[in-house]
């Protein structure tokens, strides 16, 4: 089962690595958005908006990767 000289295991490994890299970047950015919500210079509403946005982003990542990147 070779496709253009590359085995399917290698292709699967490369896709899995890319998925992990994308997920890592999105989770880190979500963490930084949440951290930005803890600054004292923001109003309470602004801080709440940052934290809720980060939580929604973090909560939606796992289902998206399970459904679309099998």
């Amino acid at each position: 089962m070779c496709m253009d000289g590359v085995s399917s295991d290698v292709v699967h490994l490369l896709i899995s690595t890319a998925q992990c890299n994308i997920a890592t970047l999105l989770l880190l950015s979500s963490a930084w958005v949440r951290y930005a919500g803890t600054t004292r210079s923001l109003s309470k509403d602004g801080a709440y908006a940052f934290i809720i946005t980060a939580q929604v982003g973090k909560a939606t990542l796992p289902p998206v990767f399970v459904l679309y990147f099998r």
Side-chain angles (χ1 to χ4, degrees):
M1 293 193 167
C2 288
M3 298 177 342
D4 297 302
V6 179
S7 71
S8 62
D9 293 335
V10 172
V11 172
H12 180 69
L13 179 67
L14 291 175
I15 292 171
S16 297
T17 303
Q19 289 173 2
C20 287
N21 290 340
I22 292 168
T24 301
L25 290 174
L26 291 174
L27 284 173
L28 281 173
S29 64
S30 177
W32 275 105
V33 169
R34 185 175 175 155
Y35 178 69
T38 62
T39 60
R40 294 190 184 265
S41 62
L42 290 173
S43 66
K44 289 185 179 184
D45 291 336
Y48 187 73
F50 269 106
I51 291 172
I52 292 299
T53 303
Q55 286 299 106
V56 168
K58 187 176 179 181
T60 57
L61 277 174
V64 167
F65 275 91
V66 168
L67 292 175
Y68 292 111
F69 296 108
R70 284 191 203 181

